[in-house]
Amino acid sequence: MKNVYLSIAALAASLAATSASAQTEDANSGFNQFYVGGSFGGAHTASTSQSILFDRNLDGVFGDTVTTAAGANAFSPGFCSGSATSTGNTNCSFRRDGLEYYGKIGGDTQRGRIVVGFVVEGGRPDFIESVSGFSTTPASYTISRDIRFNINARGRLGFTPNDSTLFYGAGGPTYAKIRTYNVTSNTANSFTVNGDQDGWGYNVGGGIEQKIGNNFSIGLEYLYTDVKADKGRVRVGPGTAPPTNPFLLGNAAGTDFAFGNRFMSWHSARVTAAFRF
């Protein structure tokens, strides 16, 4: 990941030099063009879950405490952000960074020095969010989620000082297909995940784009994306556990797990390229 960000920094210096030399070149149509292209860069998660929420009686309301038959808190050892590294303590490892890649289409209209446009893109940020809980058994329970694919739409508003360099801000709605899954050391209960969920939210950011000739451009872009991710569930069922199992005391069918944080958000720093026509 460090190499990705170093490459982006190097391109920033290259863009500055290209922009200076491009001011004397004729960019022909400026930014009155449609384009197709893509982006590649790094994604860094901005959201973390500090705990797992429980729905013990399966009434759809989370925030219950899972207790033993004696009334003690079955998760008194606690929780941590990330994937459990053992079953007997609250140590976790967290993977915050990942690569991302997108394809895009868009169009711009230039009026004087002002550029108004749109872009629609689809791709995937490759990072994982996890949270783990530790029971008195002892046992560990890790819930994880990632983005299977992401579609963004943004309006763009920018300024060009020379018809070849564009500074812009952008924002709009976003959609993500979110996968939830779990890993546990508990071999007595059964565990069922409710599958993928749809997440809706927004993305906002800005960047710089530099035309090279009339039909090609490269750039740097930053985006912040936030989507609602409150539908992921893990059902802890009976399995081979007895009726006195803590997960079965509130409802014989089991207990539902959910992330404490109901949103997923991440930062993106990316290199962009586009063919303009």
Side-chain angles (χ1 to χ4, degrees):
M1 181 58 60
K2 179 180 179 181
N3 290 334
V4 172
Y5 291 121
L6 287 175
S7 298
I8 291 174
L11 182 60
S14 175
L15 274 175
T18 303
S19 176
S21 63
Q23 292 187 25
T24 59
E25 298 178 4
D26 181 12
N28 296 326
S29 60
F31 287 91
N32 279 300
Q33 296 169 309
F34 289 99
Y35 56 86
V36 295
S39 64
F40 176 80
H44 179 84
T45 180
S47 57
T48 59
S49 286
Q50 302 295 333
S51 65
I52 295 172
L53 297 180
F54 302 104
D55 176 11
R56 192 183 184 203
N57 55 6
L58 303 182
D59 64 354
V61 179
F62 286 83
D64 299 334
T65 299
V66 177
T67 59
T68 65
N73 185 350
F75 279 82
S76 56
F79 307 87
C80 62
S81 295
S83 300
T85 58
S86 71
T87 59
N89 57 54
T90 56
N91 291 332
C92 284
S93 63
F94 202 107
R95 178 188 164 191
R96 294 179 179 273
D97 300 312
L99 299 177
E100 67 166 34
Y101 40 87
Y102 286 81
K104 64 179 180 179
I105 60 172
D108 293 314
T109 298
Q110 182 175 335
R111 294 293 181 266
R113 292 301 173 197
I114 302 301
V115 177
V116 178
F118 74 94
V119 60
V120 178
E121 65 179 6
R124 184 188 180 197
D126 185 20
F127 65 85
I128 298 171
E129 288 188 1
S130 301
V131 60
S132 298
F134 300 85
S135 67
T136 54
T137 313
S140 63
Y141 305 81
T142 297
I143 308 177
S144 300
R145 60 189 178 190
D146 60 17
I147 305 294
R148 307 310 296 159
F149 62 87
N150 175 217
I151 299 174
N152 299 318
R154 291 187 296 280
R156 302 206 311 173
L157 177 63
F159 172 79
T160 175
N162 53 19
D163 294 334
S164 61
T165 305
L166 177 64
F167 302 91
Y168 64 89
T174 188
Y175 164 81
K177 178 67 75 173
I178 302 168
R179 178 181 65 163
T180 301
Y181 53 99
N182 77 292
V183 176
T184 180
S185 62
N186 179 333
T187 58
N189 294 92
S190 61
F191 292 81
T192 305
V193 183
N194 68 340
D196 293 348
Q197 61 173 305
D198 298 320
W200 294 91
Y202 67 92
N203 64 120
V204 63
I208 177 174
E209 188 171 353
Q210 178 63 52
K211 294 186 69 175
I212 301 174
N214 191 51
N215 298 109
F216 188 71
S217 64
I218 58 175
L220 295 173
E221 187 172 61
Y222 163 80
L223 286 176
Y224 175 80
T225 306
D226 184 271
V227 296
K228 194 171 185 179
D230 62 342
K231 303 301 182 184
R233 302 284 188 272
V234 177
R235 172 69 57 86
V236 186
T240 59
T244 55
N245 183 275
F247 296 118
L248 308 179
L249 291 176
N251 189 311
T255 296
D256 279 353
F257 284 10
F259 275 84
N261 189 334
R262 301 300 183 89
F263 293 85
M264 290 186 73
S265 56
W266 63 95
H267 303 281
S268 301
R270 48 169 63 166
V271 176
T272 67
F275 175 77
R276 292 178 162 271
F277 53 92

